[in-house]
Amino acid sequence: MNESILALREELAQAQRICVMTGAGISAESGIPTFRGSSGLWRNHNPAELATREAFTRNPALVWEFYNWRRTLIAAARPNPGHEALARLEARTPQTTLMTQNVDGLHRLAGNTSVLQLHGNIWETRCTGCGRVQEQRTPDLGSNPRCEKCGAALRPNVVWFGESLNEELLGKAFAAASTCEIMLTIGTSAVVQPAASLAGTAKRAGAVVAEINLERTPNSLFMDYVILGKAGEILPQLVP
Ligand code: BJW
Ligand code: ZN
């Protein structure tokens, strides 16, 4: 085991208040594609460009095709050793705040009980007319799902670019980042705000900050630890 993994493992074992921020990279080893990078291409579309209001307004059927495809992949996906290590971390350190940009629900499936899903939940729909939110487990909802109550178009209950994150969740995330002793950021390119800035908040408040990713990110510059590798291989070493 390399020295920085050993040192960070010790710090984690001593800490009482821990924050964890995850992104698409933690679910990559469960077979769920990430948004950016060479593998982030879907039928010649950039996934990050489909996750917008403009795309939905222009072509809701295309956006639903994209989300139905992801829902089908996610329905078959299982938590990997990275998710499982974070569930162990919460079990042994109860003041662990897990915040995720992922909408796949794999952290809860792995056993984390409190997860701040900052970008929403792909298993929910929201009515563009009456606002009703509903859990819908059927993976493929077709190209034009409609509200049973008011007949308006349904959309995925996720946060697209230009939309505000849930204020209450975001408040909890910033409060936890401001008061934790250690913050881990895992498998995120750290380019999407405001999620990307939580690590900086923790650092400025005096926390030890650590990044686990295949490659460096804009946040690497101020990290105390940058551990390059797969989350599913590094996290089980950090939380044995
Ligand atoms: C591994 C691995 C392995 C791979 N192990 N690692 C200019 C400056 C600052 C901000 C802005 C700006 N212009 C606009 C903004 C705001 C905008 C923003 O941040 N834009 C930037 C891109 C410039 N943000 C917003 O609009 C947010 N809202 C907001 O700010 O509201 C206020 C406001 C209101 C009105 C007007 C303006 C502002 C909302 C952001 C919502 C993001 N939504 C999405 C879709 C969610 C639904 C869905 O899932 O479909 O969220 S986009 C997409 O990106 C998704 C992700 O959660 C998010 C982050 O991606 P993530 O998780 O980091 O994935 P990748 O693919 O980018 O990276 C994966 C990483 O994993 C890579 O680094 C790999 O190396 C690594 N990896 N395998 C470890 N095995
Ligand atoms: Zn409705």
Side-chain angles (χ1 to χ4, degrees):
M1 190 179 297
N2 85 33
E3 265 173 45
S4 51
I5 296 181
L6 214 52
L8 181 55
R9 181 169 81 169
E10 264 323 292
E11 300 221 42
L12 280 171
Q14 306 292 329
Q16 262 150 34
R17 293 181 312 281
I18 301 172
C19 268
V20 183
M21 162 64 81
T22 65
I26 195 168
S27 294
E29 290 160 76
S30 294
I32 303 173
T34 60
F35 287 88
R36 295 172 185 81
S38 53
S39 63
L41 270 188
W42 178 77
R43 297 197 180 179
N44 298 323
H45 297 282
N46 177 349
E49 284 168 12
L50 288 166
T52 69
R53 276 180 171 184
E54 292 70 31
F56 189 70
T57 307
R58 201 181 315 125
N59 193 344
L62 176 72
V63 172
W64 266 115
E65 194 188 344
F66 172 61
Y67 278 92
N68 287 330
W69 172 71
R70 284 177 59 209
R71 286 165 62 99
T72 305
L73 277 179
I74 293 168
R78 290 290 156 261
N80 67 54
H83 297 104
E84 285 159 7
L86 295 181
R88 286 197 296 280
L89 184 65
E90 185 200 83
R92 80 174 195 200
T93 310
Q95 291 184 66
T96 297
T97 302
L98 176 56
M99 31 191 122
T100 186
Q101 297 167 78
N102 301 343
V103 297
D104 57 32
L106 289 183
H107 286 305
R108 284 192 181 144
L109 212 51
N112 280 92
T113 57
S114 113
V115 185
L116 305 178
Q117 293 182 305
L118 296 176
H119 291 167
N121 181 338
I122 201 169
W123 294 111
E124 293 173 353
T125 57
R126 187 165 85 238
C127 177
T128 57
C130 69
R132 182 159 83 140
V133 172
Q134 261 196 311
E135 190 178 37
Q136 306 240 25
R137 283 278 159 186
T138 311
D140 191 334
L141 297 177
S143 60
N144 183 18
R146 296 265 153 189
C147 179
E148 285 167 9
K149 269 194 161 170
C150 77
L154 296 177
R155 58 164 282 177
N157 192 27
V158 298
V159 183
W160 285 329
F161 285 114
E163 297 183 323
S164 300
L165 282 68
N166 178 294
E167 294 257 334
E168 192 189 332
L169 291 183
L170 197 59
K172 284 184 182 172
F174 274 100
S178 311
T179 52
C180 67
E181 295 153 59
I182 302 193
M183 173 140 187
L184 305 180
T185 79
I186 303 161
T188 173
S189 56
V191 296
V192 175
Q193 300 295 349
S197 66
L198 282 152
T201 298
K203 173 77 180 175
R204 284 190 299 278
V208 169
V209 289
E211 177 176 73
I212 296 141
N213 200 312
L214 294 180
E215 56 191 24
R216 293 175 66 88
T217 76
N219 280 353
S220 304
L221 283 171
F222 63 79
M223 287 285 159
D224 298 298
Y225 295 89
V226 176
I227 299 176
L228 299 180
K230 290 186 173 180
E233 292 171 8
I234 308 291
L235 289 171
Q237 300 179 59
L238 289 174
V239 191

